[in-house]
Amino acid sequence: MTSFFMCPGLRRIRILILAAALVTAGGGMPAFARDHDDARRAVEAGEIRPYADILSVVKGKLPGEVVGVKLEREAGAWMYELRVLDDKGRLFEVHVDAKSGEVERTKEK
């Protein structure tokens, strides 16, 4: 009787799954580290304000509670993208200028 793990067809599938897992794990970490490092450098260089500062400025202008945040560049400008959940369960995407703290736009998702 052939072992389940020794079957040639299954062995090939296991190798492909392992290769995909290694590529995903190896590819994901540098991107995360790079994003974190880019954000830290931008704060240190004065290009953006720290998230805590931004949150204290816009907290009263938000339609609910922040449930997610992302920092990205849009047309050359740093923007904090906040995911905000209101008390009715609606989800909003709020774009905030990372330098000034001004709310640029709000969109219901």
Side-chain angles (χ1 to χ4, degrees):
M1 175 180 258
T2 305
S3 167
F4 175 77
F5 291 104
M6 300 312 283
C7 179
L10 291 176
R11 183 170 185 264
R12 187 175 328 148
I13 291 171
R14 284 183 325 162
I15 291 170
L16 289 172
I17 290 171
L18 178 59
L22 289 173
V23 167
T24 301
M29 288 304 290
F32 174 77
R34 185 176 54 248
D35 291 345
H36 175 76
D37 290 342
D38 288 348
R40 185 177 42 77
R41 275 190 232 106
V43 168
E44 290 171 353
E47 295 176 26
I48 65 172
R49 293 170 66 177
Y51 173 67
D53 291 356
I54 295 293
L55 189 58
S56 69
V57 169
V58 300
K59 188 97 171 138
K61 301 175 187 175
L62 299 177
E65 182 179 341
V66 177
V67 295
V69 63
K70 190 170 29 171
L71 177 65
E72 58 190 12
R73 276 194 174 265
E74 292 181 3
W78 286 103
M79 299 292 285
Y80 282 105
E81 180 184 300
L82 308 177
R83 294 284 173 131
V84 178
L85 189 63
D86 74 1
D87 59 351
K88 295 178 184 168
R90 296 179 299 180
L91 184 65
F92 293 88
E93 188 175 275
V94 181
H95 292 257
V96 179
D97 183 289
K99 178 89 172 162
S100 69
E102 292 293 317
V103 174
E104 297 290 325
R105 65 185 181 278
T106 301
K107 179 172 112 177
E108 186 174 355
K109 296 300 282 177

